[in-house]
Amino acid sequence: MTDFLAEAQSLFEYTQSLRRDFHMHPELGFKEVRTAGIVARELTSLGLEVHTCIAETGVVALLEGAKSGPVILARFDMDALPILEETSVPYTSQNPGVMHACGHDGHTAIGLTVTKMLLAHRQELAGTVKFIFQPAEEGLGGAEGMIAAGVLENPKPDLALALHLWNEKPLGWFVIAAGPATAGAELFKIKVRGKGGHGAMPHLNADPVLAAAEIVTALQSIVARNVPPLQAAVVSVCTIHGGEAFNVIPQTVELAGTIRTFEPEVREKVLERFKVIVYGLAETMGCQAEVDLQRLAPAVINQPESAAHIAEVARRIFPDAAIDTGDYVTMGSEDFAFIMEKVPGCFFFIGSANKEKGLDASHHHPRFDFDEQALPRGAALMASTVAELLRDKSRKI
Ligand code: NI
């Protein structure tokens, strides 16, 4: 059996230099022109047929095994975040205000490493690997764009896989959950419209500040009183804007925030209660509310069989690793869920924090950085999983 961990470790400098280069030149969603250019250049140099500009900046390459068989999609995201980097590493962002603060630089480097390794083992593969390098994962619609551009057709994948470096857990740790892995997310905006006027004469006005305050408080009753205690949900009001002067009741107040859920029935219940509370309270307070709800991503629910397979591979490659197969889920969301709505698969996490080296800031933090030893680990786990699935005739995908 191929030792993909040894191969990934021998490619460490390749992976690390790509990762550091992407880190120094981060690009926001749908603007990953330089990153996608490097991805396309690397894939082309390997001799693969490469398709570029899919959903603006996405790149797709097919790796056909020596024999026919199932099609596995492996997805890697490429976008950075609008954050001013505060690390002092030599590969710090050269693009002020834009930062790879989620590890997608590592994912892209891992993706290229996996491609290189699997290509070297093409003769042993019975099936096809569809590599997709995706733009705009951070809430901008990259996965939906790639789907609309047809990446799930010609050939149609039988299984979809993706990984995420995970600084919430240390290096040496994996989570490969059979079932829910990341939450479904909605973005909401509320406009509470009242009747502005003199702050000293509230009885002549309809105060949207007070109505907004009531709404913020009452929204917390949804999780406390409408969601079954053993099921999870989050309702967070994250911005509140209204008013200009200390003695003027404003005309409108605007709120924005996010809702997170897993089960469709919980999501439905939360959204229903959300609207009843917002409209009802605004009306009670003599105001009117407008609600704008946008779905950012569904929940990622892993297929139990592929999760079990990946966990088995991980246990073999990393006998000392802590492998969590289900007790850990994150309320964070992931747009790979749009792909997983159409293709069964698994989204798994590679622990990447190292407290001793000071590499343990959370994702989306201005000092985020991870232990690069996680790169070969992620590449080895992805490559081994795919190779085994395309080799083992007895295993049904
Ligand atoms: Ni991410």
Side-chain angles (χ1 to χ4, degrees):
M1 197 164 286
T2 312
D3 185 349
F4 280 106
L5 181 59
E7 291 192 16
Q9 276 158 346
S10 73
L11 288 170
F12 180 72
E13 274 175 34
Y14 170 77
T15 318
Q16 184 191 47
S17 66
L18 282 168
R19 182 264 160 165
R20 291 189 172 191
D21 180 63
F22 295 139
H23 195 89
M24 281 174 83
H25 304 282
E27 296 170 300
L28 293 175
F30 292 125
K31 297 194 175 123
E32 307 90 336
V33 176
R34 182 184 181 277
T35 310
I38 293 170
V39 168
R41 183 194 73 202
E42 287 300 309
L43 297 172
T44 307
S45 77
L46 292 172
L48 290 171
E49 190 186 321
V50 180
H51 301 266
T52 57
C53 305
I54 316 285
E56 309 279 341
T57 45
V59 182
V60 177
L62 278 186
L63 192 171
E64 311 259 10
K67 292 188 203 136
S68 62
V71 178
I72 298 181
L73 179 153
R75 177 280 222 167
F76 305 91
D77 44 11
M78 305 187 290
D79 57 325
L81 286 153
I83 294 176
L84 183 64
E85 180 157 356
E86 288 177 14
T87 69
S88 50
V89 293
Y91 47 91
T92 196
S93 170
Q94 303 297 301
N95 184 3
V98 182
M99 177 189 178
H100 267 297
C102 197
H104 300 185
D105 48 346
H107 301 168
T108 307
I110 287 174
L112 291 171
T113 310
V114 171
T115 315
K116 207 178 194 100
M117 290 195 291
L118 287 176
L119 195 65
H121 293 275
R122 183 183 231 158
Q123 289 310 318
E124 300 149 39
L125 304 180
T128 302
V129 193
K130 190 177 223 175
F131 288 97
I132 75 172
F133 291 86
Q134 184 207 297
E137 190 283 322
E138 299 285 0
L140 297 172
E144 290 157 288
M146 295 286 277
I147 294 168
V151 291
L152 300 186
E153 305 300 325
N154 296 326
K156 215 172 156 55
D158 298 289
L159 188 81
L161 301 174
L163 53 73
H164 207 299
L165 295 166
W166 204 236
N167 253 28
E168 310 307 316
K169 294 286 173 179
L171 186 74
W173 180 97
F174 297 84
V175 74
I176 308 159
T182 69
E186 338 275 324
L187 155 74
F188 65 77
K189 291 181 189 155
I190 302 169
K191 189 178 255 182
V192 184
R193 200 181 296 282
K195 180 171 175 287
H198 203 300
M201 300 167 202
H203 58 295
L204 302 176
N205 312 318
D207 183 358
V209 174
L210 183 58
E214 297 281 358
I215 288 169
V216 171
T217 310
L219 285 178
Q220 294 312 310
S221 72
I222 300 175
V223 175
R225 284 297 172 266
N226 303 123
V227 174
L230 295 181
Q231 287 174 307
V234 173
V235 179
S236 289
V237 179
C238 300
T239 75
I240 175 161
H241 295 290
E244 304 283 345
F246 79 96
N247 55 358
V248 179
I249 290 173
Q251 197 73 18
T252 56
V253 171
E254 291 179 358
L255 309 169
T258 185
I259 294 172
R260 306 287 161 123
T261 53
F262 288 101
E263 296 81 358
E265 61 281 9
V266 173
R267 173 174 181 264
E268 234 164 80
K269 182 82 190 169
V270 171
L271 295 183
E272 178 204 317
R273 288 296 301 151
F274 182 87
K275 289 181 217 159
V276 168
I277 288 172
V278 174
Y279 289 128
L281 269 174
E283 200 190 330
T284 305
M285 308 298 290
C287 301
Q288 292 100 39
E290 285 164 33
V291 174
D292 175 19
L293 273 164
Q294 283 171 41
R295 190 178 204 192
L296 290 183
V300 167
I301 312 288
N302 287 335
Q303 185 199 44
E305 300 78 40
S306 41
H309 168 64
I310 300 168
E312 187 187 307
V313 173
R315 266 184 222 110
R316 202 182 53 243
I317 315 182
F318 309 105
D320 304 327
I323 300 169
D324 198 327
T325 52
D327 302 335
Y328 182 88
V329 288
T330 168
M331 297 311 284
S333 76
E334 167 55 58
D335 83 353
F336 186 59
F338 284 110
I339 292 172
M340 287 188 61
E341 270 191 332
K342 309 224 185 291
V343 184
C346 188
F347 181 76
F348 50 99
F349 298 92
I350 315 291
S352 57
N354 191 328
K355 210 172 161 43
E356 287 76 50
K357 293 187 188 163
L359 301 169
D360 61 344
S362 336
H363 294 263
H364 298 201
H365 189 281
R367 282 195 291 278
F368 174 82
D369 197 8
F370 57 84
D371 190 326
E372 287 174 326
Q373 290 305 321
L375 297 169
R377 301 169 78 87
L381 183 53
M382 182 63 94
S384 307
T385 298
V386 172
E388 282 186 33
L389 286 167
L390 296 185
R391 218 180 258 161
D392 185 351
K393 288 282 160 221
S394 63
R395 196 184 296 276
K396 273 213 182 70
I397 290 183

